[in-house]
Amino acid sequence: MLPEMAKAKVMITNYHAFGRRRRLDTNKTGEAVLSGWRKEELITEETEGEMLQRACGDLLTMKNIVAISDEAHHCYRARVGEGDEEKLTAEDKQEAKENNEAARLWISGIEALKQKGRTACHL
């Protein structure tokens, strides 16, 4: 299977790559000017497709993608109504919030790949 293995493309990235970035580099005043007197809504954040193109590049042209996470236990969606929050300190609550946001970002990126018709196997 060595010839088949040589066809594989390996990409190493951080979960931050799946965060949608701002496409428009301006402040609130600049946004107000650009939206005009009609107050048209500006799209300042990249689309899901643009994020995937930036984060995954050539992988999007491939059929089968396998995502291997070194920290897979950090890739989840928090359950609604988990009741341990009242026992946490303010600092612990902030840390839990940040951990949940990071976990959602990673799993959302994997799900976006899957929605694009790629077989995303997450290990």
Side-chain angles (χ1 to χ4, degrees), residues 1-122:
M1 292 187 66
L2 200 51
E4 292 299 315
M5 292 294 290
K7 295 178 186 176
K9 178 175 175 94
V10 177
M11 181 179 158
I12 300 172
T13 191
N14 190 292
Y15 76 92
H16 291 99
F18 290 113
R20 292 190 189 179
R21 296 184 181 163
R22 286 183 54 91
R23 292 189 303 182
L24 186 61
D25 190 22
T26 186
N27 57 23
K28 293 289 182 190
T29 304
E31 288 179 19
V33 169
L34 291 171
S35 68
W37 61 273
R38 293 185 195 170
K39 303 288 185 210
E40 295 174 5
E41 182 182 353
L42 290 178
I43 299 171
T44 60
E45 191 175 84
E46 57 187 5
T47 65
E48 186 175 88
E50 290 169 331
M51 176 273 296
L52 284 174
Q53 184 62 46
R54 176 185 43 77
C56 301
D58 293 341
L59 291 180
L60 294 179
T61 63
M62 298 179 176
K63 286 184 183 179
N64 298 309
I65 299 172
V66 177
I68 301 173
S69 178
D70 181 35
E71 298 284 333
H73 60 281
H74 292 297
C75 183
Y76 60 87
R77 291 200 183 280
R79 288 187 214 147
V80 177
E82 288 185 346
D84 294 338
E85 287 188 18
E86 59 274 351
K87 299 175 189 175
L88 300 176
T89 65
E91 187 177 302
D92 289 339
K93 285 181 185 180
Q94 180 62 31
E95 182 180 353
K97 180 183 175 193
E98 290 170 4
N99 288 341
N100 283 336
E101 288 171 3
R104 271 194 312 277
L105 185 58
W106 178 240
I107 194 71
S108 295
I110 298 297
E111 290 170 347
L113 265 176
K114 193 171 188 176
Q115 288 174 358
K116 288 292 180 187
R118 304 296 174 253
T119 305
C121 175
H122 179 232

